[in-house]
Amino acid sequence: MFIDVAKIKIISGKGGDGKVGFHREKYVAAGGPDGGDGGRGGSVIFKVDDNLSTLLDFRYKKKYEAAPGENGGSKRCKGKDGGDLVIRVPRGTIIRDQKTGQVIRDLSDDEPFVAVKGGNGGWGNTHFATPTRQAPRFAKPGQPGVERDIILELKLLADVGLVGFPNVGKSTLLSMVSAARPKIANYHFTTLVPNLGVVSVGEEQSFVMADIPGIIEGAHEGAGLGHDFLRHIDRCRLLLHLVDAAGSEGRDPVDDIEKINAELAGYSEFLASRPQIVVANKVDLLGDDRAPVERLKKYADEHGMQFAELSAATNRGVSELMRMTWDALKELPPVFVYEPEFVPVEDEVTDRDWTVEQVDDYYVISGAWVDKIMASVNTDDYESRQYMDRMLKNAGVYEKLEQMGVKEGDFVVIGDIEFEYVY
């Protein structure tokens, strides 16, 4: 099954928490703090795999999460780093942000891409020892992992794209000039997925050609199969526009060209600007009647496009077309690679990010800033509780409670901690 778009969630690993520990050794008095740091959380990394040609693996599994870092240990032992999660994708896959649609990365090269970094490990209590605080009973928690909803979109990497209405001979041509063996039959939509083939025209002279499933009128609005596969022409440096010169399907070949080009323009003006070679196929069915071929050649000349004629069924003109294609490619820029557009915006947590609300007989304090403070507080340690009181007071939390009418003995809830309010 050919799948070229997938939506998934990626989550990097949480950093391990720092350790609150103290040195204990026989004959060594007051050994002091020795809590180790937490390990770094694993990152989510994307890597190109040329053995893959579809995003089928992402059809059913939608959530990918890297391993968390281990917590710090005693004797200043650092926790083990979480393992990175490597996700393999076909070459040409684009990573987009689901919310904005912006390009995060174009995976067209062999360089691994770190999509979300793992959280750093927290410091152990060893880091907080000072001459006046020789036995700190608190440590820092590890940083949380990063969650991101992304879209994986496969855009084939091909130098040349074969476009045209169904049944004009695109698959036949690809099978004759490369080792690709697409399904060929005399009915519309024989080709249901894009096919790639490598075309060799001489020593160290080759290019990749893609047979794109039939594009019909209204494709850019969702008609037929073309809407699903127009994206695969995006990177093509050159388009071979095949038409049925003999009109064996009862269509006008010039009208076919205009309709297909209108679909390309409707999808993307950038795509519509690609250079084209108009290829008049099935000329063997014309016999001695050259009028349709001359009409197509005149149309191509008037619109600044190169022209070639061939009979894919009898191999007439095929080698000449491949040589013309190679010569045209030599003058064109390399395959297009999308530049990153997405700039991650990290939510800045400030001492204003909190709220107080009264729920029955409780005053509940919540918010991102409060969660961050409480994560690094050890309520069993006097100095740590002093730190919490000082931070809440400076942020105006206690003042807000008094404005709401809190009285001594009332219950206050912060995170998962409940205590009685004392002036």
Side-chain angles (χ1 to χ4, degrees):
M1 184 181 296
F2 185 80
I3 304 295
D4 56 1
V5 176
K7 294 182 179 181
I8 63 173
K9 178 189 288 291
I10 54 176
I11 308 171
S12 60
K14 175 187 178 298
D17 297 336
K19 170 75 173 179
V20 177
F22 295 92
H23 187 65
R24 296 290 184 268
E25 186 177 347
K26 194 175 183 180
Y27 307 122
V28 178
D34 71 348
D37 299 340
R40 178 188 61 81
S43 300
V44 178
I45 301 173
F46 284 88
K47 191 172 183 180
V48 167
D49 187 341
D50 288 323
N51 292 317
L52 298 175
S53 59
T54 175
L55 299 176
L56 179 61
D57 292 345
F58 306 97
R59 182 177 178 86
Y60 303 106
K61 185 177 179 181
K62 299 295 184 181
K63 184 178 179 180
Y64 294 81
E65 187 170 3
E70 289 186 357
N71 296 335
S74 301
K75 299 182 180 180
R76 303 193 180 190
C77 290
K78 179 180 179 295
K80 183 180 178 181
D81 291 342
D84 294 333
L85 175 62
V86 178
I87 301 177
R88 299 184 180 276
V89 294
R91 189 178 298 276
T93 300
I94 293 174
I95 304 175
R96 296 184 184 272
D97 178 66
Q98 272 195 38
K99 186 175 181 180
T100 65
Q102 293 177 320
V103 174
I104 298 175
R105 178 74 175 220
D106 185 347
L107 297 168
S108 297
D109 55 26
D110 296 315
E111 189 71 23
F113 171 62
V114 179
V116 284
K117 290 184 178 180
N120 291 328
W123 282 355
N125 67 332
T126 307
H127 291 272
F128 302 100
T130 67
T132 58
R133 184 176 58 215
Q134 298 182 8
R137 296 183 179 275
F138 57 90
K140 273 192 172 183
Q143 292 183 349
V146 179
E147 294 189 18
R148 183 159 295 149
D149 294 315
I150 62 172
I151 300 173
L152 300 179
E153 181 181 2
L154 177 59
K155 291 178 180 281
L156 296 180
L157 288 173
D159 299 290
V160 178
L162 297 176
V163 298
F165 270 80
N167 223 18
V168 294
K170 300 189 297 296
S171 297
T172 302
L173 177 61
L174 181 65
S175 68
M176 295 185 67
V177 299
S178 73
R181 291 295 174 263
K183 184 178 180 180
I184 300 171
N186 188 27
Y187 56 86
H188 287 184
F189 302 123
T190 309
T191 305
L192 299 178
V193 300
N195 292 299
L196 288 176
V198 178
V199 180
S200 177
V201 293
E203 187 175 350
E204 297 185 358
Q205 296 179 341
S206 62
F207 55 88
V208 178
M209 180 182 289
D211 171 16
I212 308 300
I215 301 170
I216 64 173
E217 190 173 7
H220 76 279
E221 296 175 344
L225 299 174
H227 176 261
D228 294 326
F229 300 116
L230 275 167
R231 68 173 60 89
H232 296 296
I233 320 174
D234 271 0
R235 299 184 191 269
C236 295
R237 303 157 59 197
L238 177 68
L239 301 181
L240 298 189
H241 198 144
L242 268 69
V243 291
D244 179 1
S248 58
E249 295 278 323
R251 297 191 308 266
D252 177 31
V254 171
D255 186 53
D256 282 359
I257 295 174
E258 292 180 341
K259 285 179 178 177
I260 292 294
N261 284 339
E263 294 308 315
L264 299 182
Y267 179 78
S268 164
E269 287 294 339
F270 183 56
L271 179 58
S273 65
R274 289 287 195 280
Q276 294 185 20
I277 298 177
V278 174
V279 182
N281 191 19
K282 302 185 182 182
V283 293
D284 54 302
L285 301 180
L286 292 173
D288 296 329
D289 183 10
R290 296 284 302 170
V293 176
E294 294 300 327
R295 178 173 174 242
L296 284 168
K297 185 176 186 308
K298 180 181 178 182
Y299 179 88
D301 291 341
E302 290 175 349
H303 290 81
M305 295 182 283
Q306 292 181 273
F307 177 80
E309 59 180 276
L310 60 83
S311 169
T314 62
N315 203 23
R316 172 185 165 187
V318 173
S319 59
E320 291 83 355
L321 173 61
M322 294 302 102
R323 174 54 61 181
M324 179 188 296
T325 302
W326 172 254
D327 291 340
L329 287 174
K330 289 191 295 184
E331 305 299 323
L332 297 175
V335 173
F336 180 76
V337 176
Y338 289 81
E339 293 295 330
E341 304 167 333
F342 178 73
V343 178
V345 179
E346 296 184 3
D347 295 331
E348 183 180 356
V349 178
T350 70
D351 59 5
R352 298 178 183 272
D353 296 333
W354 56 266
T355 59
V356 180
E357 58 180 337
Q358 187 172 1
V359 180
D360 297 329
D361 296 330
Y362 293 87
Y363 292 84
V364 180
I365 305 170
S366 60
W369 177 80
V370 174
D371 293 340
K372 182 178 179 182
I373 295 299
M374 297 306 295
S376 59
V377 169
N378 177 9
T379 55
D380 295 329
D381 178 64
Y382 175 71
E383 289 183 337
S384 188
R385 291 198 306 271
Q386 278 191 319
Y387 165 77
M388 179 190 74
D389 288 339
R390 186 168 60 253
M391 296 300 291
L392 294 176
K393 181 178 180 181
N394 292 341
V397 175
Y398 291 153
E399 181 181 354
K400 179 65 174 178
L401 284 170
E402 292 169 5
Q403 290 175 0
M404 294 177 66
V406 69
K407 297 183 291 292
E408 188 167 356
D410 286 345
F411 288 99
V412 177
V413 177
I414 304 179
D416 57 356
I417 300 172
E418 177 185 319
F419 62 91
E420 290 187 19
Y421 187 78
V422 179
Y423 284 104

